[in-house]
Amino acid sequence: MPTDSRRVPGPDNTLQYYLYSKQKKTYEECEKDLLSSENIRKDGRKPETPRKIYIKTGVVSQAKGSAYIEVGNTKVICSVFDPREIPNKSEFSVNGELYCEFKFATFSCKKRRNFVRDPEEKELSVSLKRALEPAVCRHEFPNFQVDVYALVLQNDGSALAAAINCAGLALADASVPMYDLVSAVSVAIHGESRLMDPTIEEENICSSVNPQVTGNRGLATLSYLGNLKQVTEFCQIGTMDSDIVIDVIDLLETQVMEVYPVIQHSMVAKVQKHIKEKNQEPMKHSRSTAGSV
């Protein structure tokens, strides 16, 4: 197992101290905390209300493009690097490729994560790649590969949706040719309840397996191209009826259009700032020339 030499190594399997607390809630008690009698969630939101989003681009100086996003307490940072030749491939590829890596930081979850990617992270990496590929003009860089790295700094639910939003913005910040910006949202299903942008506690309750409980329950994430009106990826786990899945897709398509303008505004602000800096450069150059004369 690889180790990080920059910090003091701790135990491989480290657990938070409150996991051993005697004041643990049963599954029935956690289930009752999902929604109050006034139809209010534990954090004060209504079932259809998402959390606030904070986005910033250009946070990693070593990368071609980067972005940082906060969705409530979920924090994700993404980096995109310059195209390079596809490794271990002898034949010419007409379309370029995306290499996507989704990783939880070791300190991002209640249970300490490993340095090596586990099956869950590999599965999320595949979902991230499927969500981004339809938005990228891969024919513009044949036989080359663009690397996308998404690192979850803190996981408080909806980590995949936050990583898709952050990675799509990082690709645009890296000037990678794209058809459209990618936006994504998640929803948790618990019986008749639809909890938009769920927290980690809501995800654990809705995705847990309990033989005594029957009905629709699970998680769903949808990524969308706002201008082209196309779905790029739909991930669903849990047990749901087919009519429930159709209703969830319609709900997610409506909610994702509320996230798309936020990402679009962030990219427009980045372009306006870049144009302003470019316009100021000739003025500085003319002043320096006049001073030398």
Side-chain angles (χ1 to χ4, degrees), residues 178-234:
M178 301 176 66
Y179 298 105
D180 195 1
L181 293 174
V182 186
S183 55
V185 290
S186 297
V187 64
I189 297 92
H190 187 273
E192 299 298 328
S193 302
R194 310 288 184 268
L195 306 178
M196 293 301 304
D197 192 12
T199 61
I200 189 64
E201 294 182 2
E202 295 170 345
E203 284 187 352
N204 292 336
I205 296 173
C206 295
S207 61
S208 59
V209 179
N210 191 345
Q212 300 178 356
V213 179
T214 58
N216 297 300
R217 57 179 55 240
L219 304 172
T221 302
L222 181 138
S223 59
Y224 199 72
L225 301 179
N227 283 333
L228 299 179
K229 308 297 182 183
Q230 293 182 359
V231 176
T232 61
E233 174 67 356
F234 177 72

Side-chain angles (χ1 to χ4, degrees), residues 51-52 70-76 153-157 199:
R51 292 174 290 183
K52 294 183 179 180
E70 288 185 7
V71 184
N73 290 329
T74 300
K75 302 176 178 63
V76 182
L153 302 177
Q154 184 175 348
N155 181 23
D156 191 32
T199 61

